[in-house]
Amino acid sequence: MRQPTLAAALALSLALACQADSLSLVTGNDYAPFADSKLPNGGLAAEVAVKAFAESKTEVKLDWSPWARGYEEAKSGRYAATFPYVKSAEREKDFIYSAPIYEIQQRAFAKPGSKFDFGHVASLAGSTVCVPLGWAPSASLLPLIKSGQIKKSEPKDISTCAQMVAAGRADYFVTDQFQGRTAIKGANLPADALTASSVVLESETLHLIAGRATPQGRSVIAAFDKGLETLRKNGGYDRIVAAHTR
């Protein structure tokens, strides 16, 4: 018998992965400008995900869930994929990653006049970082978190982190400039209540991820990557980014 072509195999795999004629994806709120049900088209990453799959002729159904729950349900195969997530060694044990959706620069947000030297991570020993439940800690801080030299608070969302830092119940949180400003606003704090570090702790990329235990997970990622490539070539990607970051 002849082996099926790659295109045919991909189409068959996607058909098997689809439920109720659509691919089920999950993401969460309070991660502007990338994902929030209140944002236009659900945010930058949500719009990219839906339109990239559309370029691959794949209809998707997008659900909104608390981050930790959506993550676990994507890991178990309840959802075909979730987004947007940065890479981490722990996460890569359980998930397959797409091509990058967007590159972000991670900075620490602390009170103005903070004495922390974010250019020298070792000097942060004894501090408390706020990391929303379900988020991966900054890779540069992870060794000190694991050793207990940096304590970690895990509230439900990033706006709560902003409140905790402003109230002195945590020393800083780490995210990109867009999300940091949105978190401060969402916490009903003055725009200058917290400031971003001049130091970039690291540059990271956001991805769509599918559980390694998910049937046809690799085919789901392949379809997304193919659609994302098309979206970049036809200018659709740049238009989406511009609409959400201006």
Side-chain angles (χ1 to χ4, degrees), residues 154-245:
E154 295 184 283
K156 62 178 182 177
D157 56 41
I158 192 70
S159 292
T160 304
C161 276
Q163 292 173 341
M164 291 177 68
V165 172
R169 292 188 287 126
D171 294 312
Y172 51 90
F173 63 90
V174 178
T175 191
D176 65 281
Q177 292 271 33
F178 294 115
Q179 175 63 12
R181 290 197 298 266
T182 301
I184 293 167
K185 183 178 180 181
N188 296 315
L189 295 169
D192 60 355
L194 304 175
T195 58
S197 63
S198 58
V199 174
V200 175
L201 274 70
E202 61 238 348
S203 293
E204 297 179 311
T205 47
L206 298 174
H207 302 260
L208 180 134
I209 59 176
R212 291 188 180 275
T214 302
Q216 314 306 326
R218 292 189 181 279
S219 296
V220 171
I221 295 298
F224 174 79
D225 285 351
K226 180 182 177 183
L228 180 59
E229 182 180 6
T230 300
L231 205 59
R232 289 182 181 277
K233 288 180 178 178
N234 65 23
Y237 176 84
D238 288 339
R239 289 191 291 272
I240 293 170
V241 170
H244 289 280
T245 58

Side-chain angles (χ1 to χ4, degrees), residues 38-234:
K38 297 183 293 294
L39 293 173
N41 297 317
L44 188 159
E47 187 170 357
V48 167
V50 171
K51 291 186 176 178
F53 277 116
E55 292 289 353
S56 291
K57 312 301 181 187
T58 305
E59 182 182 347
V60 298
K61 177 180 180 293
L62 181 58
D63 287 345
W64 299 87
S65 177
W67 288 101
R69 182 192 304 168
Y71 181 88
E72 290 300 323
E73 291 185 331
K75 178 180 173 180
S76 70
R78 164 69 178 80
Y79 287 98
T82 185
F83 65 88
Y85 282 92
V86 299
K87 288 187 176 182
S88 72
E90 287 298 313
R91 194 170 284 154
E92 287 186 276
K93 296 176 183 177
D94 299 312
F95 287 92
I96 308 163
Y97 283 74
S98 73
I101 295 175
Y102 192 82
E103 182 175 357
I104 56 175
Q105 291 186 328
Q106 301 276 35
R107 298 173 187 267
F109 284 78
K111 287 183 178 181
S114 167
K115 303 301 182 181
F116 295 107
D117 185 355
F118 294 105
H120 296 85
V121 175
S123 70
L124 302 178
S127 66
T128 299
V129 61
C130 191
V131 182
L133 192 64
W135 288 33
S138 171
S140 62
L141 304 182
L142 195 56
L144 272 72
I145 293 173
K146 286 185 173 180
S147 68
Q149 295 179 72
I150 293 179
K151 295 181 180 179
K152 182 175 67 169
S153 292
E154 295 184 283
K156 62 178 182 177
D157 56 41
I158 192 70
S159 292
T160 304
C161 276
Q163 292 173 341
M164 291 177 68
V165 172
R169 292 188 287 126
D171 294 312
Y172 51 90
F173 63 90
V174 178
T175 191
D176 65 281
Q177 292 271 33
F178 294 115
Q179 175 63 12
R181 290 197 298 266
T182 301
I184 293 167
K185 183 178 180 181
N188 296 315
L189 295 169
D192 60 355
L194 304 175
T195 58
S197 63
S198 58
V199 174
V200 175
L201 274 70
E202 61 238 348
S203 293
E204 297 179 311
T205 47
L206 298 174
H207 302 260
L208 180 134
I209 59 176
R212 291 188 180 275
T214 302
Q216 314 306 326
R218 292 189 181 279
S219 296
V220 171
I221 295 298
F224 174 79
D225 285 351
K226 180 182 177 183
L228 180 59
E229 182 180 6
T230 300
L231 205 59
R232 289 182 181 277
K233 288 180 178 178
N234 65 23

